[in-house]
Amino acid sequence: MSIGPSTSALLETTGRTRGQDITASYAALAQACAATGDDARHAELVSDHPHDVWSLPASRAIALVHTGQDEAWALVRGAELLDQHQVAVVTPYYGGVRTAAGRAVTFWHDPGKRRRDASLSARVTAAVHRIHPGSALWLEDHDPFAGLLDGLDDTPLRESARRFLFECTAWLRAEWAGIDWPTPPTVILGARRLARCHDGGTHPRLALRRPLWRGHREWDLVAARWSNELLRGRRDDLQAYHRTYTAHGRTDAAMPCDRIGAWSGYQVVRDVVVLTAVMDTVRRTRLDSRTRDLAVHQVACLRGARPAPWDWGKR
């Protein structure tokens, strides 16, 4: 493989399963690049979740290697929808989705460096929420429980931990059904944290990494807040986020309270967001021992064995 030095170093230190995944991902990338005329040499794996993100220095682009065609198409269509509604978003480098080595590959303009700016994230999120869901009938309804526990029985977690996650999910599903949503459905990011924005040297743009949904905007607002409340490390300026979102948000569907944390459904939605974040880690426990240890730690945090703020590493 003609990969960059950082990815080469990663392959020398990572576990066998993860190494095989990276090798298979690069094979799909190289095959797709051969079809598009791009140069896959010195490609660097910059993220492997929720899909593999490869930087292509020679092409000044990035490529996403997906395990499924449906997700890849949903991501492309979502970015195109946001672009049509003048939302600052990283757009596809080529239209459509390529199939290579049994995987789906999409190409995108280089988003530039990550911008950790709560106000910027709030502005972009507000712009997404202003889009009427009727303008994209292909959007699916947001259901955070759909597929949430897929693969749990096959993970190396102890039976007691798996049973806890099943019971926690069942309880939260029942609580979720009773939520009184204060605003109507709209287009949402379905995010786990603050919306990720990058700056490529001209102006900041949203880097879409998950499909858009038809759902309640409270999910995105809670997702932007929970890590500040429960995790150690960097703190985002939530006052700036709230001020900016309020200034740029929908005027026809104002929140009934002055901040999302005061909403009656906040804690249930927050706990569902946190559970989805933990399950993201749990489903990846097969990759290496470090991920397994992190999953065990995160489940222990959920069970109350670790007091908040929790240390989940880099944010």
Side-chain angles (χ1 to χ4, degrees):
M1 294 194 301
S2 179
I3 53 179
S6 296
T7 308
S8 295
L10 174 63
L11 284 175
E12 292 177 359
T13 58
T14 194
R16 178 172 176 269
T17 300
R18 191 180 187 199
Q20 290 175 336
D21 279 2
I22 294 173
T23 301
S25 177
Y26 181 79
L29 171 69
Q31 185 175 322
C33 285
T36 61
D38 287 286
D39 190 347
R41 291 176 299 173
H42 310 301
E44 292 283 15
L45 182 67
V46 296
S47 176
D48 63 355
H49 183 68
H51 30 243
D52 292 343
V53 180
W54 292 88
S55 172
L56 303 175
S59 299
R60 293 186 58 81
I62 60 171
L64 273 54
V65 178
H66 314 256
T67 55
Q69 286 268 348
D70 290 345
E71 179 209 53
W73 276 108
L75 207 62
V76 169
R77 294 171 78 181
E80 291 173 346
L81 174 70
L82 297 185
D83 190 50
Q84 291 167 7
H85 285 80
Q86 286 78 53
V87 178
V89 63
V90 177
T91 53
Y93 199 86
Y94 303 115
V97 177
R98 270 69 180 173
T99 302
R103 303 196 182 194
V105 183
T106 56
F107 292 84
W108 305 77
H109 292 282
D110 188 346
K113 294 182 179 180
R114 175 81 185 273
R115 282 278 300 272
R116 291 188 175 276
D117 185 332
S119 294
L120 175 59
S121 176
R123 188 177 302 114
V124 171
T125 302
V128 173
H129 292 174
R130 287 199 301 268
I131 301 174
H132 194 283
S135 62
L137 298 179
W138 46 267
L139 284 172
E140 295 186 9
D141 290 329
H142 181 234
D143 178 5
F145 298 98
L148 181 62
L149 297 181
D150 286 355
L152 178 58
D153 285 332
D154 298 326
T155 64
L157 293 181
R158 291 182 177 180
E159 182 181 353
S160 60
R162 295 198 301 271
R163 185 169 59 251
F164 166 77
L165 290 170
F166 275 111
E167 292 172 351
C168 182
T169 301
W171 183 82
L172 284 174
R173 188 193 295 270
E175 293 295 306
W176 177 274
I179 293 176
D180 182 16
W181 297 99
T183 60
T186 188
V187 178
I188 67 168
L189 295 167
R192 306 288 193 270
R193 305 267 181 93
L194 286 168
R196 295 176 62 94
C197 295
H198 293 247
D199 193 342
T202 53
H203 52 273
R205 291 181 176 273
L206 168 70
L208 199 61
R209 289 292 178 266
R210 297 178 186 273
L212 299 174
W213 301 91
R214 182 192 302 107
H216 295 279
R217 59 180 175 149
E218 288 77 19
W219 174 277
D220 287 343
L221 299 180
V222 172
R225 174 189 168 98
W226 78 267
S227 58
N228 280 52
E229 178 184 351
L230 296 179
L231 297 186
R232 290 181 187 170
R234 184 187 179 95
R235 288 291 180 263
D236 301 301
D237 187 349
L238 291 183
Q239 289 186 343
Y241 185 96
H242 172 72
R243 288 195 302 269
T244 305
Y245 183 86
T246 302
H248 293 83
R250 292 174 57 178
T251 58
D252 63 330
M255 291 289 292
C257 46
D258 63 350
R259 57 187 178 86
I260 192 65
W263 171 48
S264 61
Y266 169 75
Q267 186 166 339
V268 172
V269 176
R270 183 204 66 184
D271 290 349
V272 178
V273 173
V274 176
L275 179 61
T276 60
V278 172
M279 284 305 304
D280 279 347
T281 305
V282 168
R283 280 190 293 272
R284 301 169 67 239
T285 52
R286 66 180 185 81
L287 292 179
D288 51 38
S289 59
R290 179 183 176 279
T291 307
R292 288 194 296 273
D293 291 344
L294 180 58
V296 170
H297 174 69
Q298 290 182 358
V299 173
C301 292
L302 276 188
R303 300 182 79 169
R306 302 285 189 274
W310 306 324
D311 184 3
W312 284 10
K314 293 182 179 180
R315 294 174 54 191

